[in-house]
């Protein structure tokens, strides 16, 4: 019997409209509206009053408009939530059910945010705004923050690079079948994984210059300590990567007459390196944030990284907004890196990396 | 005493002398004595776990015998002073799981050991690789990666990779066991042609028809020992060993 040809069903806007219900659309619309009201409303009211000096932010929060935003957000949010939760079970299609649930969830989020806005405007806005919405101080330090971001990147990138090279060598030692080769690598790896990075920074940045009379700047010491630390962690990543390569690859290479070293170099390591790219990039994201520990060793003016710049600013003004700027700086570096890791992982899961050498 | 006898191998290409292998407490090979002459095609059959693959892998020392000696081409290769890498360039091995290098193309797989082990120049390596790919009928797949080839094609590339080293002996370790049934034939045909060309081959296989047709000799292994060793006609039609009789009754 011949099967009738069936077209792939079309999922367009008309289909979506057909699947929806008036109540589900209403719940969804109310939810979106309430969340938009609280986010955009707060922003608009604050901008209307001006962001600097911080007294304007205080005025914004204390204004009747801000109270209005909070009240409306809570009201709309609760309404969307009630409508969504009340009706989603009775919705006849998957689309309408999802719309009702989404409206309910968005409404709940808006209600919570609205309540927070109301709570802030009733509280001690003066202290709050001075610490978190006080942009004048940090804005004067934008150059310092840019230098800080650059130094954070330099610290992280150079330590990542040196650490990876060190880690690859350590990993190859650590998988040797000879205990005398394995042991020193294990001792090193376990030592640097078993002591705090802050201790390593202090020891190399303060202890070594004092004890050995070697004159190294804290910036250099920071790179050395971060690299040594990264070396230990990336060694474990490489070891796992190398050991994840099927045993048959080593046997095939040895069976063709390659030495152990040649087999590693031409067969095992090239495959392992591809496999460990995502975890190594993950280590980089961790490393970017670990550079902030250098602040405890103390850096000269031009060498300060993001957190040092922020602490310096805070120390001078007792304005915690400096820390918010530092956080934005870290996010600006890390988010693209995280996106890149995810993209690479997706690509590897699709199996393309193995094919395109 | 001739020179061939003095070298310990008695003129045979391969000789195993009292080979035992333990994996931990597991006694896998229990005293193997075996000779292989130039040009011989020997198949090894037997139930799984009987030590067939371990025996094969002891010939090129991918598994090191716990006890006993292995001779190849007039040398004792179990001697620690032997340059095993050099010895292995004369012994090709093909595996059940193909084990092609996934990051290299078909031709790249073949050229790698030619360039890095035999130190051939790029041109010469490429010419030889192309010739070997033609030999197994895959010249048109030279630039494909292993993931883009069928199992049968991958296995033929693996055979070409081993042949390109111009070995004196080829070892085949259940090379069709991981293949879909319709792909088995193309690999067996390649091996048959190789046998006809006079290559010395030691073949561990589950393909009884193939063992019967292509081998000069069939070895039946069970419980870590060689139980039966003779021409295919005799081993298959009139086995002396009761275990062999039993095994053949089950698989034929």
């Amino acid at each position: 019997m011949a099967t009738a040809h069936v077209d792939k069903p079309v999922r367009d806007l008309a289909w979506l409209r057909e699947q929806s219900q008036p109540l589900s659309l209403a719940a969804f619309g109310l939810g979106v509206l309430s969340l938009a009201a609280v986010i955009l409303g707060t922003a608009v009211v604050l901008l209307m009053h001006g962001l600097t000096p911080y007294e304007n932010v205080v005025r914004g929060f204390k204004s009747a408009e801000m109270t209005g935003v909070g009240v409306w957000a809570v009201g709309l949010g609760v309404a969307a939530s009630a409508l969504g939760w009340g009706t989603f079970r009775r919705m006849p299609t998957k689309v309408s059910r999802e719309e009702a649930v989404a409206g309910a969830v968005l409404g709940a989020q808006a209600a919570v945010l609205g309540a927070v806005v109301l709570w802030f405007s009733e509280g001690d806005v003066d202290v709050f705004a001075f610490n978190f919405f006080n942009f004048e101080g940090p804005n004067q330090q934008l150059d310092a923050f840019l230098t800080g971001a650059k130094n954070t990147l330099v610290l992280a990138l150079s330590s990542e690079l040196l650490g990876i090279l060190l880690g690859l060598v350590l990993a190859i030692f650590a998988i040797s079948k000879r205990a005398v080769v394995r042991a020193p690598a294990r001792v090193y790896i376990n030592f640097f994984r078993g002591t705090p990075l802050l201790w390593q920074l202090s020891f190399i940045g303060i202890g070594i210059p004092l004890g050995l009379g070697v004159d190294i700047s804290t910036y250099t010491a920071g790179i050395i300590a971060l690299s040594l630390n990264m070396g230990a962690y990336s060694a474990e990543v490489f070891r796992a990567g190398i050991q994840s390569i099927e045993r048959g690859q080593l046997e095939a290479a040895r069976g063709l007459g390659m030495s152990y070293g040649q087999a590693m170099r031409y067969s095992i390591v090239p495959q392992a390196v591809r496999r460990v790219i995502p975890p190594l990039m993950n280590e980089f994201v961790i490393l970017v944030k670990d550079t902030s520990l250098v602040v405890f060793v103390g850096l000269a003016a031009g060498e300060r990284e993001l957190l040092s710049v922020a602490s310096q600013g805070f120390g001078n003004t007792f304005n915690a907004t400096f820390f918010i700027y530092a956080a934005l700086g870290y996010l600006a570096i890390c988010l693209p890196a995280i996106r890149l890791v995810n993209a690479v992982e997706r690509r590897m899961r699709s199996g393309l990396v193995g094919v395109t050498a | 005493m001739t020179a061939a006898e003095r070298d310990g191998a008695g003129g045979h290409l391969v000789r195993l002398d009292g080979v035992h292998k333990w994996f931990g407490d597991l006694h896998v090979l229990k005293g193997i004595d075996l000779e292989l002459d130039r040009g011989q095609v020997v198949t090894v059959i037997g139930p799984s776990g009987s030590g067939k693959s371990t025996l094969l892998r002891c010939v090129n020392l991918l598994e090191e015998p716990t006890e006993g000696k292995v001779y190849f081409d007039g040398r004792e290769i179990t001697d620690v002073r032997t340059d095993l890498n050099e010895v292995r360039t004369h012994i090709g091995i093909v595996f059940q799981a193909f084990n092609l290098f996934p990051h290299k193309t078909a031709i790249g797989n073949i050229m790698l050991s030619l360039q890095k082990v035999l130190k051939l120049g790029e041109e010469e390596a490429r010419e030889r690789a192309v010739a070997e790919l033609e030999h197994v009928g895959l010249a048109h797949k030279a630039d494909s990666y292993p993931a883009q080839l069928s199992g049968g094609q991958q296995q033929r590339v693996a055979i070409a990779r081993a042949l390109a080293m111009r070995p004196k002996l080829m070892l085949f370790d259940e090379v069709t066991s991981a293949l879909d049934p319709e792909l088995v034939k193309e690999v067996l045909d390649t091996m048959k042609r190789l046998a006809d060309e006079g290559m010395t081959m030691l073949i561990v296989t589950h393909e009884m028809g193939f063992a019967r047709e292509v081998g000069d000799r069939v070895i039946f292994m069970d419980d870590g020992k060689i139980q039966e060793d003779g021409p295919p006609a005799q081993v298959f039609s009139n086995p002396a060993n009761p275990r062999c009789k039993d095994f053949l009754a089950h698989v034929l």
Side-chain angles (χ1 to χ4, degrees):
Chain A
M1 195 184 79
T3 328
H5 177 72
V6 178
D7 281 321
K8 189 179 174 201
V10 184
R11 300 274 190 256
D12 57 4
L13 210 60
W15 172 82
L16 215 60
R17 209 175 295 135
E18 186 191 306
Q19 294 278 308
S20 301
Q21 296 287 308
L23 278 181
S24 69
L25 276 178
F28 185 66
L30 268 181
V32 170
L33 187 67
S34 58
L35 196 59
V38 66
I39 293 172
L40 296 179
T42 309
V44 167
V45 173
L46 284 181
L47 286 176
M48 267 167 34
H49 287 85
L51 290 176
T52 48
Y54 80 96
E55 288 87 349
N56 280 338
V57 176
V58 177
R59 246 170 259 130
F61 268 111
K62 288 282 185 199
S63 67
E65 292 96 327
M66 192 59 96
T67 313
V69 165
V71 169
W72 273 100
V74 172
L76 287 172
V78 167
S81 218
L83 188 59
W85 288 132
T87 58
F88 85 97
R89 273 179 213 288
R90 277 175 281 136
M91 288 299 138
T93 64
K94 196 165 184 177
V95 169
S96 55
R97 193 184 168 100
E98 285 307 314
E99 282 169 352
V101 171
V105 174
L106 291 174
Q109 291 165 356
V112 170
L113 287 179
V116 169
V117 166
L118 286 176
W119 180 59
F120 272 167
S121 33
E122 294 311 309
D124 192 344
V125 183
D126 210 61
V127 173
F128 172 75
F130 176 83
N131 273 302
F132 298 124
F133 283 87
N134 193 351
F135 304 118
E136 271 179 315
N139 277 349
Q140 287 161 10
Q141 301 275 320
L142 277 185
D143 282 350
F145 272 108
L146 276 180
T147 314
K150 189 205 80 191
N151 283 330
T152 292
L153 258 181
V154 170
L155 282 169
L157 282 176
S158 47
S159 311
E160 167 92 0
L161 196 68
L162 294 171
I164 281 178
L165 293 177
L166 177 62
L168 185 55
V169 174
L170 282 169
I172 286 173
F173 285 170
I175 57 167
S176 167
K177 62 175 197 276
R178 297 196 171 93
V180 287
V181 178
R182 229 166 36 225
R186 288 286 4 144
V187 168
Y188 176 94
I189 292 169
N190 288 338
F191 180 81
F192 276 90
R193 296 209 312 159
T195 51
L197 179 54
L198 189 49
W199 179 90
Q200 292 158 21
L201 276 166
S202 314
F203 190 80
I204 293 167
I206 301 166
I208 294 217
L210 282 181
L212 297 181
V214 187
D215 189 22
I216 43 174
S217 75
T218 39
Y219 195 69
T220 315
I223 291 181
I224 294 173
L226 288 166
S227 303
L228 295 181
N229 185 270
M230 179 69 191
Y233 280 95
S234 58
E236 289 294 79
V237 170
F238 276 122
R239 186 178 60 83
I242 289 171
Q243 286 175 340
S244 79
I245 304 297
E246 302 69 32
R247 206 185 138 66
Q249 290 293 316
L250 183 64
E251 290 179 345
R254 299 305 306 273
L256 287 164
M258 287 189 215
S259 67
Y260 179 80
Q262 286 178 316
M264 278 290 155
R265 182 164 159 210
Y266 299 119
S267 171
I268 310 295
V269 170
Q271 295 181 55
V273 164
R274 284 182 180 81
R275 270 187 211 185
V276 298
I277 287 171
L280 281 181
M281 287 166 75
N282 228 353
E283 292 288 336
F284 174 72
V285 173
I286 296 171
L287 189 60
V288 168
K289 293 166 295 177
D290 281 348
T291 56
S292 60
L293 288 174
V294 178
V295 73
F296 289 101
V297 194
L299 290 168
E303 298 175 338
R304 288 198 186 97
E305 42 69 62
L306 275 170
L307 189 63
S308 314
V309 173
S311 336
Q312 172 89 7
F314 177 75
N316 292 340
T317 60
F318 296 106
N319 171 5
T321 315
F322 278 98
F323 290 123
I324 301 212
Y325 276 51
L328 293 176
Y330 284 116
L331 286 174
I333 297 172
C334 288
L335 289 185
I338 290 170
R339 280 194 65 131
L340 197 61
V341 183
N342 291 342
V344 170
E345 275 186 338
R346 255 198 313 280
R347 208 173 116 86
M348 292 188 85
R349 226 172 295 130
S350 71
L352 284 174
V353 169
V355 175
T356 52
Chain B
M1 202 189 238
T2 67
E5 281 160 353
R6 264 199 311 278
D7 67 19
H12 304 292
L13 182 60
V14 176
R15 189 160 83 86
L16 271 65
D17 182 9
V19 166
H20 285 260
K21 178 71 186 178
W22 275 269
F23 288 117
D25 288 332
L26 196 64
H27 198 176
V28 184
L29 294 182
K30 302 177 179 173
I32 301 286
D33 299 303
L34 175 70
E35 288 99 31
L36 214 67
D37 288 326
R38 288 179 176 78
Q40 259 189 341
V41 176
V42 179
T43 54
V44 186
I45 60 171
S48 59
S50 58
K52 309 183 294 289
S53 286
T54 309
L55 165 68
L56 186 97
R57 294 152 61 89
C58 277
V59 173
N60 71 349
L61 261 63
L62 273 187
E63 298 294 352
E64 200 183 337
T66 318
E67 236 175 72
K69 289 175 177 172
V70 179
Y71 298 87
F72 177 78
D73 205 13
R75 271 189 290 174
E76 189 207 328
I77 60 172
T78 32
D79 187 321
V80 286
R81 290 163 297 186
T82 310
D83 179 2
L84 269 183
N85 299 329
E86 195 273 328
V87 170
R88 288 192 184 120
T89 61
H90 304 297
I91 308 178
I93 183 165
V94 185
F95 304 90
Q96 181 176 353
F98 325 139
N99 296 344
L100 291 180
F101 305 127
H103 59 301
K104 297 259 174 207
T105 58
I107 198 165
N109 261 275
I110 301 173
M111 287 171 65
L112 184 63
S113 51
L114 297 181
Q115 291 182 275
K116 304 302 178 189
V117 179
L118 298 188
K119 312 283 180 200
L120 299 188
E122 166 145 19
E123 259 333 286
E124 202 184 347
R126 184 175 299 278
E127 270 167 34
R128 208 193 266 198
V130 169
E132 290 303 337
L133 278 175
E134 273 166 9
H135 194 191
V136 298
L138 285 173
H140 60 295
K141 294 288 186 186
D143 295 321
S144 301
Y145 284 90
Q148 298 166 322
L149 299 174
S150 75
Q153 291 170 334
Q154 288 189 54
Q155 196 59 294
R156 280 149 68 199
V157 172
I159 292 173
R161 179 174 71 175
L163 287 176
M165 301 292 286
R166 308 263 160 89
K168 297 174 179 167
L169 167 71
M170 284 287 286
L171 306 173
F172 293 87
D173 189 4
E174 298 187 25
V175 293
T176 57
S177 300
L179 292 176
D180 290 337
E182 76 269 24
L183 303 177
V184 169
K185 191 173 175 298
E186 63 184 67
V187 174
L188 292 185
D189 285 347
T190 307
M191 290 164 69
K192 257 178 222 163
R193 208 174 51 224
L194 204 53
D196 292 340
E197 288 164 9
M199 176 62 75
T200 313
M201 296 158 79
L202 184 61
I203 306 167
V204 171
T205 185
H206 288 299
E207 302 284 335
M208 294 304 146
F210 177 74
R212 183 173 210 158
E213 190 188 336
V214 83
D216 300 316
R217 250 167 90 193
V218 177
I219 289 171
F220 170 74
M221 276 191 78
D222 193 21
D223 193 28
K225 290 180 201 138
I226 293 177
Q227 309 277 3
E228 184 97 30
D229 181 351
Q234 181 206 315
V235 174
F236 279 99
S237 341
N238 190 20
N241 185 291
R243 292 195 196 202
C244 184
K245 218 176 262 180
D246 201 45
F247 173 76
L248 289 171
H250 273 92
V251 296
L252 287 180

mmCIF file of all heavy atoms in Angstrom, chain A residues 16-40:
data_model
loop_
_atom_site.group_PDB
_atom_site.id
_atom_site.type_symbol
_atom_site.label_atom_id
_atom_site.label_comp_id
_atom_site.label_asym_id
_atom_site.label_seq_id
_atom_site.Cartn_x
_atom_site.Cartn_y
_atom_site.Cartn_z
ATOM 1 N N LEU A 16 0.031 30.063 14.927
ATOM 2 C CA LEU A 16 0.138 30.420 16.341
ATOM 3 C C LEU A 16 -1.172 31.072 16.816
ATOM 4 O O LEU A 16 -1.682 30.770 17.900
ATOM 5 C CB LEU A 16 1.310 31.394 16.515
ATOM 6 C CG LEU A 16 2.127 31.279 17.802
ATOM 7 C CD1 LEU A 16 2.733 29.888 17.914
ATOM 8 C CD2 LEU A 16 3.228 32.326 17.802
ATOM 9 N N ARG A 17 -1.708 31.962 15.967
ATOM 10 C CA ARG A 17 -2.924 32.675 16.328
ATOM 11 C C ARG A 17 -4.085 31.689 16.454
ATOM 12 O O ARG A 17 -4.914 31.778 17.364
ATOM 13 C CB ARG A 17 -3.239 33.734 15.257
ATOM 14 C CG ARG A 17 -3.985 34.956 15.808
ATOM 15 C CD ARG A 17 -4.152 36.024 14.726
ATOM 16 N NE ARG A 17 -2.888 36.587 14.283
ATOM 17 C CZ ARG A 17 -2.569 36.796 13.007
ATOM 18 N NH1 ARG A 17 -3.413 36.469 12.041
ATOM 19 N NH2 ARG A 17 -1.416 37.342 12.683
ATOM 20 N N GLU A 18 -4.092 30.745 15.569
ATOM 21 C CA GLU A 18 -5.162 29.761 15.545
ATOM 22 C C GLU A 18 -5.126 28.883 16.797
ATOM 23 O O GLU A 18 -6.158 28.489 17.333
ATOM 24 C CB GLU A 18 -4.977 28.906 14.284
ATOM 25 C CG GLU A 18 -6.059 27.914 13.985
ATOM 26 C CD GLU A 18 -5.586 26.986 12.872
ATOM 27 O OE1 GLU A 18 -5.175 27.516 11.803
ATOM 28 O OE2 GLU A 18 -5.581 25.776 13.090
ATOM 29 N N GLN A 19 -3.914 28.615 17.264
ATOM 30 C CA GLN A 19 -3.751 27.743 18.421
ATOM 31 C C GLN A 19 -4.043 28.461 19.739
ATOM 32 O O GLN A 19 -4.258 27.826 20.760
ATOM 33 C CB GLN A 19 -2.308 27.205 18.475
ATOM 34 C CG GLN A 19 -1.949 26.290 17.324
ATOM 35 C CD GLN A 19 -2.421 24.878 17.558
ATOM 36 O OE1 GLN A 19 -2.141 24.285 18.580
ATOM 37 N NE2 GLN A 19 -3.170 24.361 16.612
ATOM 38 N N SER A 20 -3.957 29.819 19.722
ATOM 39 C CA SER A 20 -4.112 30.575 20.961
ATOM 40 C C SER A 20 -5.568 30.716 21.361
ATOM 41 O O SER A 20 -6.471 30.491 20.557
ATOM 42 C CB SER A 20 -3.500 31.969 20.799
ATOM 43 O OG SER A 20 -2.143 31.849 20.469
ATOM 44 N N GLN A 21 -5.775 31.111 22.607
ATOM 45 C CA GLN A 21 -7.109 31.364 23.140
ATOM 46 C C GLN A 21 -7.137 32.801 23.653
ATOM 47 O O GLN A 21 -6.098 33.327 24.062
ATOM 48 C CB GLN A 21 -7.396 30.424 24.312
ATOM 49 C CG GLN A 21 -7.430 28.969 23.943
ATOM 50 C CD GLN A 21 -8.682 28.612 23.166
ATOM 51 O OE1 GLN A 21 -9.785 28.908 23.580
ATOM 52 N NE2 GLN A 21 -8.496 27.986 22.012
ATOM 53 N N PRO A 22 -8.293 33.453 23.648
ATOM 54 C CA PRO A 22 -8.366 34.835 24.168
ATOM 55 C C PRO A 22 -7.793 34.944 25.577
ATOM 56 O O PRO A 22 -6.997 35.843 25.867
ATOM 57 C CB PRO A 22 -9.865 35.132 24.162
ATOM 58 C CG PRO A 22 -10.440 34.195 23.151
ATOM 59 C CD PRO A 22 -9.584 32.984 23.126
ATOM 60 N N LEU A 23 -8.150 34.021 26.466
ATOM 61 C CA LEU A 23 -7.689 34.103 27.859
ATOM 62 C C LEU A 23 -6.185 33.901 27.964
ATOM 63 O O LEU A 23 -5.510 34.585 28.732
ATOM 64 C CB LEU A 23 -8.417 33.059 28.710
ATOM 65 C CG LEU A 23 -9.814 33.470 29.188
ATOM 66 C CD1 LEU A 23 -10.425 32.367 30.046
ATOM 67 C CD2 LEU A 23 -9.760 34.791 29.965
ATOM 68 N N SER A 24 -5.665 32.957 27.159
ATOM 69 C CA SER A 24 -4.230 32.702 27.263
ATOM 70 C C SER A 24 -3.454 33.902 26.738
ATOM 71 O O SER A 24 -2.449 34.309 27.309
ATOM 72 C CB SER A 24 -3.864 31.443 26.484
ATOM 73 O OG SER A 24 -3.997 31.667 25.093
ATOM 74 N N LEU A 25 -3.946 34.497 25.638
ATOM 75 C CA LEU A 25 -3.286 35.686 25.101
ATOM 76 C C LEU A 25 -3.337 36.824 26.100
ATOM 77 O O LEU A 25 -2.371 37.569 26.276
ATOM 78 C CB LEU A 25 -3.952 36.105 23.795
ATOM 79 C CG LEU A 25 -3.464 35.367 22.544
ATOM 80 C CD1 LEU A 25 -4.226 35.840 21.323
ATOM 81 C CD2 LEU A 25 -1.966 35.595 22.364
ATOM 82 N N ALA A 26 -4.477 36.968 26.787
ATOM 83 C CA ALA A 26 -4.637 38.045 27.770
ATOM 84 C C ALA A 26 -3.634 37.873 28.911
ATOM 85 O O ALA A 26 -2.951 38.825 29.308
ATOM 86 C CB ALA A 26 -6.060 38.041 28.319
ATOM 87 N N ALA A 27 -3.499 36.640 29.410
ATOM 88 C CA ALA A 27 -2.570 36.390 30.506
ATOM 89 C C ALA A 27 -1.143 36.702 30.066
ATOM 90 O O ALA A 27 -0.378 37.370 30.764
ATOM 91 C CB ALA A 27 -2.676 34.935 30.962
ATOM 92 N N PHE A 28 -0.789 36.222 28.847
ATOM 93 C CA PHE A 28 0.561 36.434 28.327
ATOM 94 C C PHE A 28 0.839 37.924 28.150
ATOM 95 O O PHE A 28 1.869 38.452 28.579
ATOM 96 C CB PHE A 28 0.724 35.693 26.999
ATOM 97 C CG PHE A 28 2.107 35.744 26.449
ATOM 98 C CD1 PHE A 28 3.152 35.112 27.116
ATOM 99 C CD2 PHE A 28 2.381 36.414 25.257
ATOM 100 C CE1 PHE A 28 4.437 35.160 26.612
ATOM 101 C CE2 PHE A 28 3.674 36.464 24.762
ATOM 102 C CZ PHE A 28 4.701 35.839 25.431
ATOM 103 N N GLY A 29 -0.140 38.633 27.533
ATOM 104 C CA GLY A 29 0.012 40.068 27.306
ATOM 105 C C GLY A 29 0.182 40.837 28.607
ATOM 106 O O GLY A 29 1.076 41.670 28.731
ATOM 107 N N LEU A 30 -0.647 40.515 29.587
ATOM 108 C CA LEU A 30 -0.558 41.197 30.892
ATOM 109 C C LEU A 30 0.808 40.946 31.536
ATOM 110 O O LEU A 30 1.410 41.858 32.111
ATOM 111 C CB LEU A 30 -1.648 40.662 31.831
ATOM 112 C CG LEU A 30 -2.983 41.411 31.849
ATOM 113 C CD1 LEU A 30 -3.938 40.765 32.852
ATOM 114 C CD2 LEU A 30 -2.749 42.885 32.220
ATOM 115 N N GLY A 31 1.276 39.714 31.434
ATOM 116 C CA GLY A 31 2.577 39.375 32.022
ATOM 117 C C GLY A 31 3.684 40.193 31.407
ATOM 118 O O GLY A 31 4.496 40.807 32.107
ATOM 119 N N VAL A 32 3.723 40.220 30.055
ATOM 120 C CA VAL A 32 4.759 40.988 29.361
ATOM 121 C C VAL A 32 4.660 42.458 29.751
ATOM 122 O O VAL A 32 5.659 43.113 30.068
ATOM 123 C CB VAL A 32 4.611 40.830 27.825
ATOM 124 C CG1 VAL A 32 5.523 41.803 27.096
ATOM 125 C CG2 VAL A 32 4.909 39.395 27.415
ATOM 126 N N LEU A 33 3.420 42.971 29.756
ATOM 127 C CA LEU A 33 3.189 44.385 30.063
ATOM 128 C C LEU A 33 3.695 44.726 31.466
ATOM 129 O O LEU A 33 4.389 45.729 31.675
ATOM 130 C CB LEU A 33 1.688 44.681 29.945
ATOM 131 C CG LEU A 33 1.303 46.149 30.067
ATOM 132 C CD1 LEU A 33 1.842 46.922 28.860
ATOM 133 C CD2 LEU A 33 -0.224 46.304 30.148
ATOM 134 N N SER A 34 3.373 43.876 32.456
ATOM 135 C CA SER A 34 3.745 44.194 33.841
ATOM 136 C C SER A 34 5.263 44.204 33.999
ATOM 137 O O SER A 34 5.826 45.087 34.648
ATOM 138 C CB SER A 34 3.109 43.181 34.801
ATOM 139 O OG SER A 34 3.520 41.873 34.479
ATOM 140 N N LEU A 35 5.947 43.220 33.357
ATOM 141 C CA LEU A 35 7.404 43.166 33.492
ATOM 142 C C LEU A 35 8.040 44.362 32.792
ATOM 143 O O LEU A 35 8.952 45.000 33.322
ATOM 144 C CB LEU A 35 7.935 41.860 32.897
ATOM 145 C CG LEU A 35 9.363 41.515 33.311
ATOM 146 C CD1 LEU A 35 9.466 41.387 34.823
ATOM 147 C CD2 LEU A 35 9.829 40.237 32.638
ATOM 148 N N ALA A 36 7.502 44.708 31.587
ATOM 149 C CA ALA A 36 8.007 45.874 30.860
ATOM 150 C C ALA A 36 7.788 47.124 31.700
ATOM 151 O O ALA A 36 8.655 47.997 31.786
ATOM 152 C CB ALA A 36 7.302 46.003 29.510
ATOM 153 N N ALA A 37 6.622 47.212 32.363
ATOM 154 C CA ALA A 37 6.302 48.398 33.156
ATOM 155 C C ALA A 37 7.321 48.603 34.258
ATOM 156 O O ALA A 37 7.840 49.705 34.462
ATOM 157 C CB ALA A 37 4.897 48.261 33.752
ATOM 158 N N VAL A 38 7.666 47.538 34.972
ATOM 159 C CA VAL A 38 8.556 47.724 36.113
ATOM 160 C C VAL A 38 9.988 48.005 35.661
ATOM 161 O O VAL A 38 10.663 48.877 36.210
ATOM 162 C CB VAL A 38 8.477 46.522 37.085
ATOM 163 C CG1 VAL A 38 9.017 45.258 36.467
ATOM 164 C CG2 VAL A 38 9.226 46.827 38.378
ATOM 165 N N ILE A 39 10.437 47.335 34.599
ATOM 166 C CA ILE A 39 11.823 47.544 34.173
ATOM 167 C C ILE A 39 11.973 48.897 33.485
ATOM 168 O O ILE A 39 12.780 49.743 33.886
ATOM 169 C CB ILE A 39 12.285 46.405 33.235
ATOM 170 C CG1 ILE A 39 12.364 45.087 34.021
ATOM 171 C CG2 ILE A 39 13.652 46.726 32.637
ATOM 172 C CD1 ILE A 39 12.624 43.887 33.148
ATOM 173 N N LEU A 40 11.147 49.115 32.426
ATOM 174 C CA LEU A 40 11.262 50.367 31.683
ATOM 175 C C LEU A 40 10.839 51.542 32.549
ATOM 176 O O LEU A 40 11.459 52.600 32.524
ATOM 177 C CB LEU A 40 10.402 50.306 30.413
ATOM 178 C CG LEU A 40 10.848 49.252 29.402
ATOM 179 C CD1 LEU A 40 9.924 49.237 28.185
ATOM 180 C CD2 LEU A 40 12.284 49.524 28.981
#
